[in-house]
Amino acid sequence: MDVTIQDDRLRDIQREYYDFLDDSNDQDVYASRVREMIQQNECRLVVNVNDLRRKLPARCKRLLESSFEEMICFERGLTELVKNVDPAFAAGIGAFFVGFEGSFGGNHVTPRSLSARFLGKLVCVEGIVTKCSLIRPKMVKSVHYCPETRKTMERTYTDMTSLDAFPSSAVYPTKDDEGNVLETEFGLSTFKDHQTVTIQEMPEKAPAGQLPRSVEIVCDNDLVDKCKPGDRILAVGVYRCLPNKQAGYTSGNFRAILLCNHVKTLSKEVQPTFTPEDIAKIRKFARQKIDIFEELAHSLAPTIHGHEYVKQALLCMLLGGVEKVLENGTRLRGDINILLIGDPSVAKSQLLRYVLNTAPRAIPTTGRGSSGVGLTAAVTSDHETGERRLEAGAMVLADRGIVCIDEFDK
C-alpha cells in the first residue's frame, strides 16, 4: 500500500474517533469526561466499548481484532481534542492515553484460556495478582548537548512494549557524527514509570489437580501502583509476543505479555448466587420443626460418622461471624481459626478436604511445602532483570476466604 494512501486512511480513522469523543452537541458524555480529565490533571480517558459499539460498530470490531493501529489513531484523536479544549494543558502533559471497559464478549478471558489466537487483539483478563515488580523510570526521550559545537540533539526510544510498529535502537549516544563527546541533559530528558505485574487465574476457577496459569502485564505511566499482591483485578490490554533472540537466532518460543491500558480492582467479597429453586428450598427448610444448626452440622461431611462438635465448629467457621470496627479504628474479626489434633486415621484430612470443596473461596497448602514466610509473602528475584519483587503467599491469595493447611506441625 502506498504511504500517502496509508496516512490518509489513518487520518480518516483518527477523524472518526475525534467525532466520537467530541459529542458536546449530542449527549455530552465523553466531551464532559475530557473536561473532567483536564480539571483533575490526568492523562488517561476511560472509554466504554459498548458506547463505541453502538455508535461506530465497524471501528469497534477493528479495535478488538487489530488493536495497535486503532489505538494509535484513538490516542491521536484524543490528543487533538485536548489541544482544541486546552492547548496549554496539552503542551504540558504531552501524551494522552485511552483505557477501555465494558463488555468484550469472546475477548473476556482468563490466563488459562489466553492462547495464540488472541495475539494482537484487545482482551480483558481477570485474575489475582501474585507478583509486583518495583516501579522504575523508563527513558522515552533523551536530550544531549555537545560542548564543542554547542548543539543539542534528541533521541526518542520505543520498544516492543510501545504501540509503535517499529522499535527504535536501544543504543545510547555518547558521541555525535564527528566524534565529539556528548553530555546528557537529564533535566530535559523525558521518563515514564514502568512496572510489571503477574496475575494468576482465580484459585476457585482453576481445574483440580492442575497448576494455575499466569500472565505478565506491563503497566506504564499512571497505571503503576494500581494493584498489590492479593488483589483481584480486571486488566484490559493488548496481547503481544516478544521476540527472543540469542546470538541472532530465535528458538521459535516467544514470551507473551499484556500491554495494559486499564485496571479495575474487583471486590474480595464472594457474592452468592441463588436460583429461585434454591430460595424455595431454603424457605421450606426453615419452616421445618427441627434444630437448624444441628441439622446443618450433620449434613457437613455426611460420610464421616461422629465428630459432632468438630462438625459444628467447622460449620461456624464456614458461616463466619460479624466483623466489628470500633470507633478508634480497631477491627475485631468475626471469623475463627480451627486446629484439628488427633490420632492417625480419624478423618482429619477428609474433613479438611470437605471444607476445601464446600467453601466458595479456599486455598489448599501443606505445612511441609510452605514455610512461615511462604504463607504470607515472599521476596523473590526476577530471573530476567535480577530485581527483587514481592510474591503473594497462600494467606494473601485466600483473603476473605479459608486457608486449609494440612500437616501443620511440619
Side-chain angles (χ1 to χ4, degrees):
M1 186 184 289
D2 192 6
V3 177
T4 55
I5 299 175
Q6 173 80 352
D7 290 343
D8 291 341
R9 191 176 68 83
L10 293 179
R11 270 195 292 271
D12 291 340
I13 297 173
Q14 178 180 336
R15 174 56 56 183
E16 286 189 61
Y17 285 127
Y18 178 89
D19 294 338
F20 168 75
L21 293 173
D22 189 14
D23 56 355
S24 52
N25 297 327
D26 189 12
Q27 296 178 342
D28 196 25
V29 176
Y30 289 101
S32 62
R33 287 189 188 177
V34 169
R35 291 193 293 271
E36 285 178 16
M37 181 184 76
I38 294 173
Q39 289 174 0
Q40 295 171 2
N41 203 21
E42 295 177 349
C43 62
R44 189 174 300 273
L45 178 72
V46 179
V47 176
N48 196 312
V49 178
N50 301 333
D51 297 336
L52 189 65
R53 189 179 287 118
R54 190 166 55 250
K55 287 190 177 181
L56 301 172
R59 288 270 69 83
C60 181
K61 186 177 180 182
R62 288 287 300 164
L63 178 69
L64 293 175
E65 295 296 324
S66 177
S67 305
F68 288 104
E69 189 179 80
E70 298 287 325
M71 284 188 64
I72 291 173
C73 295
F74 211 146
E75 291 180 354
R76 286 177 182 170
L78 174 62
T79 305
E80 184 183 348
L81 179 61
V82 175
K83 284 180 180 177
N84 293 340
V85 175
D86 193 339
F89 177 76
I93 296 291
F96 295 92
F97 309 100
V98 180
F100 296 96
E101 63 180 5
S103 174
F104 289 85
N107 287 18
H108 189 113
V109 293
T110 63
R112 182 170 292 276
S113 58
L114 202 56
S115 57
R117 65 189 180 92
F118 290 107
L119 287 171
K121 297 183 180 180
L122 187 69
V123 294
C124 176
V125 185
E126 66 175 39
I128 184 167
V129 180
T130 55
K131 297 179 188 175
C132 281
S133 71
L134 300 175
I135 299 173
R136 296 190 178 277
K138 195 172 188 179
M139 183 168 277
V140 179
K141 184 182 71 173
S142 62
V143 179
H144 305 274
Y145 173 71
C146 179
E148 295 287 334
T149 60
R150 296 191 176 184
K151 291 182 180 179
T152 58
M153 62 172 288
E154 295 181 357
R155 177 164 291 188
T156 307
Y157 303 91
T158 57
D159 57 5
M160 292 300 289
T161 62
S162 309
L163 291 177
D164 298 338
F166 303 104
S168 66
S169 171
V171 179
Y172 193 74
T174 55
K175 294 182 179 181
D176 62 3
D177 298 336
E178 300 171 0
N180 298 318
V181 179
L182 295 174
E183 296 178 355
T184 304
E185 298 287 346
F186 288 101
L188 299 176
S189 301
T190 308
F191 298 87
K192 67 178 179 180
D193 290 326
H194 179 78
Q195 184 184 30
T196 57
V197 175
T198 303
I199 67 169
Q200 183 179 289
E201 63 181 322
M202 305 282 192
E204 63 268 17
K205 294 183 181 178
Q210 295 190 28
L211 286 173
R213 303 273 175 87
S214 59
V215 63
E216 192 172 339
I217 296 176
V218 173
C219 301
D220 288 331
N221 300 296
D222 59 322
L223 291 178
V224 299
D225 251 3
K226 287 274 186 175
C227 56
K228 59 185 184 299
D231 285 349
R232 291 162 181 261
I233 64 169
L234 276 178
V236 181
V238 184
Y239 196 46
R240 187 176 217 175
C241 63
L242 302 182
N244 182 21
K245 278 190 179 180
Q246 290 182 347
Y249 295 96
T250 177
S251 62
N253 293 325
F254 291 90
R255 174 170 151 253
I257 58 170
L258 188 76
L259 303 181
C260 189
N261 58 53
H262 181 58
V263 175
K264 181 183 178 184
T265 307
L266 302 176
S267 172
K268 290 187 178 181
E269 299 291 342
V270 179
Q271 298 294 333
T273 54
F274 293 117
T275 62
E277 292 82 7
D278 293 335
I279 296 174
K281 288 179 181 178
I282 292 170
R283 286 176 175 164
K284 181 181 177 182
F285 181 68
R287 286 194 294 267
Q288 294 179 7
K289 304 293 184 181
I290 55 174
D291 190 334
I292 300 292
F293 184 69
E294 284 192 8
E295 190 69 22
L296 286 175
H298 282 303
S299 303
L300 198 72
T303 57
I304 298 171
H305 179 70
H307 297 311
E308 284 84 4
Y309 289 118
V310 175
K311 290 184 179 181
Q312 289 176 6
L314 290 175
L315 180 63
C316 290
M317 182 188 65
L318 284 170
L319 295 176
V322 179
E323 183 180 349
K324 294 180 181 178
V325 180
L326 303 182
E327 293 181 356
N328 60 359
T330 306
R331 189 169 67 89
L332 302 177
R333 58 184 174 87
D335 305 306
I336 60 172
N337 301 320
I338 292 180
L339 176 65
L340 295 180
I341 303 174
D343 295 331
S345 300
V346 291
K348 297 188 298 295
S349 296
Q350 293 299 322
L351 287 169
L352 182 129
R353 193 166 298 149
Y354 190 88
V355 170
L356 187 66
N357 294 328
T358 306
R361 180 178 298 165
I363 301 291
T365 184
T366 61
R368 190 186 297 274
S370 60
S371 61
V373 176
L375 282 176
T376 51
V379 178
T380 57
S381 295
D382 193 356
H383 296 297
E384 295 177 359
T385 60
E387 68 177 19
R388 300 280 184 178
R389 54 168 60 192
L390 198 63
E391 188 169 348
M395 302 278 280
V396 179
L397 296 180
D399 192 19
R400 300 288 174 180
I402 294 175
V403 183
C404 301
I405 307 175
D406 206 358
E407 305 284 346
F408 191 68
D409 58 324
K410 303 296 190 298

